[in-house]
Amino acid sequence: MKRAWKWFARHLLDFSIGILALLAGIAAAELLAVVLGAQSPFLNVGSAVIDATPTPLKEYAVREFGTADKPILLAVIGAALVLFAAVCGLLASLRVWLGAAGFGLFGLVGAVIAALRPTATALDALPPLLGALTGAAALVVLSRRRALAGPGGAPARRRLLLTGAAVLAASALGYAGTRLLASAGAVGEQSRAGVRLPAPASPAPPAVADGSFYTPNRDFYRVDTALSVPQIDADRWRLRVHGRVANEREYSFADLLARPLVERDVTLVCVSNEVGGPYLGTARWLGVPLAELLAEAGVDTDADQVVSRSVDGMTIGTPTRVVTDGRDAMLAVGMNGEPLPLAHGFPVRMLVPGLYGYVSACKWITEMELSRFADFDPYWVRRDWAAEAPVKTSSRIDTPRALSTVAAGPVRIAGVAWAPHRGIRAVEVRIDGGPWVPATPADVSSADTWRRWFYDWEAVPGRHDLSVRATDGGGDVQVEERVTPFPDGATGWHSIAVRVG
Ligand SMILES: Nc1nc2c(c(=O)[nH]1)N[C@H]1C(S)=C(S)[C@@H](COP(=O)(O)O)O[C@H]1N2
Ligand SMILES: [Mo]
């Protein structure tokens, strides 16, 4: 232990030199990336890791870390880079060219990863290569100075320190420049600020009065594979409808806004939502009826799958039959009275009541290709999730909180139940091992949303188990058996324990 520590202390300077060179390399690579309008090499590596992550590990990450999964992933990648750079620093202290070669390898891997991204352009491989060159150069210079520092005495040591400080300062400047250019290039925010949404030709029913019925945009759950939110200029955005159609079509954002728009309340649910989980929300959406666009294109009778593509390379497959069966499937442009927030798909996303998001709700959509299930597996299906996935009938207790203590006497148990497009007919509550008793479901604006419910309970002191189950509009009772989200959505009754004091 002590020996290891001594070894570490003796090589601290070597490690530091490697890490300084890494900082310089990353700064150069990221700066070139914004200047060229190419993908960030660092985020490219992160995206590649996300795409390559086996489904069980991804499920674990979403479950354990929720929305923090991305910062955690980037921190892990950062730590791996630092480790690698420290090793390069150590190698350079033995043979300078060894360390430089390490950086070269690193740049090559970065370039290959960049070139293999589904959205890659020819420019994307350049930043990692420049970054590697810069890092290697910094490593060589610093290693030379370090070699002279011992025999050269105080002046040589000062020169090493100054060079190190200069590399650090240059990296910081490069990083600041990157941030500045990136924020100036935040075309999505600017474009969104200029959007005026027209009034709907077909308005939604009167808004549901209950304050917790609509999920505010800032609280709406977010699930996607995008490490940086795509910045799209609505004026340059295009939607291409092609594939197995009679007439290929293209629409601009203005084309969509000029059409008669519908406004509907719809609950969106993520397939990764566990029993009792938070990954669903309800909004008042504004959009273009999807069936009308498909009718204009003239869909071939054998095109049973609509494949949506987003600017960030996501592919999502939706049954043609479902989006043309008369439900309010739409290309949404508005969410709760505003243009779509960037994180929720600005300028346009798909929305299909009744289907989980991963088979319907493509954000930042740019393409709809009429295809067949037999011909194309979209992103999640390639990772073994089900190709077709209607939302399963579910319910959740929101109050009281699990494991909380409440006062004896009247206690309102309340929560939400959902079976989008089938609707919720009834909700029942069970206290301890007792009989199922009916809860009171609140009003809804359509069958496409969740339904709030409550049950007034006379709580007696002690520890109690509270459970809920829902019955959907088709009369099907929520499934009791607990299964995990993979491959087509969780089932099981939500139960919580509370203490009555
Ligand atoms: N482009 C793109 N669209 C996407 C995804 C994605 O990763 N990329 N994730 C889907 C999934 S899994 C869900 S649940 C919904 C979530 O939409 P939200 O983030 O607006 O709540 O978006 C869907 N659309
Ligand atoms: Mo999802």
Side-chain angles (χ1 to χ4, degrees):
M1 192 61 219
K2 209 165 162 198
R3 281 210 359 233
W5 175 244
K6 266 201 177 140
W7 176 87
F8 182 80
R10 188 150 32 86
H11 291 291
L12 200 55
L13 195 55
D14 302 326
F15 298 147
S16 310
I17 284 174
I19 293 167
L20 263 181
L22 171 77
L23 290 181
I26 290 186
E30 296 292 328
L31 186 60
L32 183 64
V34 273
V35 169
L36 293 180
Q39 293 292 323
S40 146
F42 190 62
L43 295 187
N44 258 339
V45 173
S47 301
V49 172
I50 291 181
D51 290 353
T53 303
T55 294
L57 187 59
K58 210 176 296 186
E59 265 201 285
Y60 170 85
V62 170
R63 185 169 62 239
E64 297 299 316
F65 308 132
T67 342
D69 57 348
K70 283 168 196 156
I72 289 175
L73 168 74
L74 294 179
V76 169
I77 294 173
L81 290 183
V82 165
L83 203 70
F84 184 80
V87 171
C88 287
L90 190 65
L91 290 177
S93 75
L94 306 173
R95 293 269 182 284
V96 174
W97 65 266
L98 260 181
F103 267 83
L105 179 70
F106 178 66
L108 272 182
V109 171
V112 168
I113 286 177
L116 291 179
R117 298 298 309 145
T119 52
T121 67
L123 296 177
D124 288 342
L126 291 180
L129 294 178
L130 177 79
L133 270 178
T134 310
L139 187 70
V140 169
V141 171
L142 286 166
S143 300
R144 289 260 156 79
R145 294 260 189 273
R146 179 197 184 351
L148 297 171
R157 273 202 292 278
R158 198 174 316 125
R159 214 169 304 135
L160 170 64
L161 205 68
L162 280 177
T163 310
V167 170
L168 195 64
S171 309
L173 263 178
Y175 187 66
T178 305
R179 293 301 296 261
L180 212 70
L181 285 175
S183 66
V187 290
E189 280 304 348
Q190 291 156 22
S191 172
R192 181 175 183 267
V195 170
R196 295 284 163 272
L197 294 177
S202 165
V208 176
D210 171 7
S212 51
F213 182 79
Y214 299 99
T215 315
N217 289 355
R218 65 174 181 286
D219 298 334
F220 208 96
Y221 83 94
R222 176 182 166 204
V223 170
D224 56 58
T225 59
L227 281 173
S228 64
V229 175
Q231 296 279 338
I232 301 172
D233 181 349
D235 289 336
R236 296 173 57 184
W237 175 89
R238 292 289 182 279
L239 174 75
R240 204 156 78 84
V241 184
H242 66 111
R244 294 175 177 269
V245 295
N247 338 290
E248 202 172 306
R249 304 293 301 244
E250 196 174 90
Y251 301 90
S252 69
F253 190 61
D255 291 338
L256 293 192
L257 293 194
R259 303 174 67 100
L261 302 183
V262 298
E263 180 191 50
R264 298 288 183 266
D265 294 347
V266 177
T267 296
L268 178 61
V269 189
C270 180
V271 70
S272 295
N273 197 48
E274 304 266 349
V275 172
Y279 298 137
L280 72 162
T282 300
R284 176 155 284 203
W285 307 88
L286 178 73
V288 178
L290 195 50
E292 290 177 12
L293 297 180
L294 295 185
E296 284 178 6
V299 175
D300 292 359
T301 47
D302 62 350
D304 59 2
Q305 178 175 230
V306 182
V307 175
S308 306
R309 286 194 178 78
S310 69
V311 294
D312 62 327
M314 174 53 65
T315 52
I316 284 183
T318 312
T320 313
R321 161 181 48 77
V322 172
V323 297
T324 53
D325 73 356
R327 74 183 73 198
D328 287 315
M330 64 169 96
L331 288 185
V333 295
M335 181 177 182
N336 289 326
E338 294 173 14
L340 287 180
L342 264 60
H344 296 291
F346 179 83
V348 182
R349 79 174 305 167
M350 193 186 279
L351 194 70
V352 182
L355 303 186
Y356 285 119
Y358 85 102
V359 286
S360 66
C362 189
K363 305 194 271 189
W364 314 295
I365 190 172
T366 58
E367 222 183 276
M368 290 195 292
E369 182 190 356
L370 275 295
S371 177
R372 302 190 312 173
F373 280 103
D375 293 343
F376 185 81
D377 285 343
Y379 186 92
W380 293 107
V381 178
R382 255 176 267 157
R383 288 157 180 80
D384 297 329
W385 291 79
E388 297 201 38
V391 178
K392 296 179 182 177
T393 303
S394 306
S395 54
R396 185 181 75 195
I397 301 172
D398 291 334
T399 54
R401 311 295 300 176
L403 303 177
S404 63
T405 301
V406 296
V411 170
R412 176 156 287 195
I413 305 172
V416 65
W418 63 94
H421 201 58
R422 298 184 299 284
I424 291 294
R425 178 182 299 174
V427 179
E428 295 165 292
V429 167
R430 185 175 65 186
I431 315 289
D432 301 319
W436 286 101
V437 289
T440 308
D443 289 343
V444 283
S445 45
S446 77
D448 291 339
T449 67
W450 61 19
R451 198 157 183 190
R452 301 241 147 228
W453 58 266
F454 68 87
Y455 174 80
D456 287 328
W457 174 42
E458 249 336 282
V460 293
R463 181 191 177 279
H464 298 284
D465 291 319
L466 315 178
S467 306
V468 63
R469 70 175 187 192
T471 302
D472 67 23
D476 286 329
V477 179
Q478 182 177 345
V479 174
E480 175 178 13
E481 188 200 353
R482 280 261 178 168
V483 304
T484 57
F486 183 77
D488 64 356
T491 60
W493 295 336
H494 188 214
S495 292
I496 63 165
V498 294
R499 180 165 297 283
V500 178

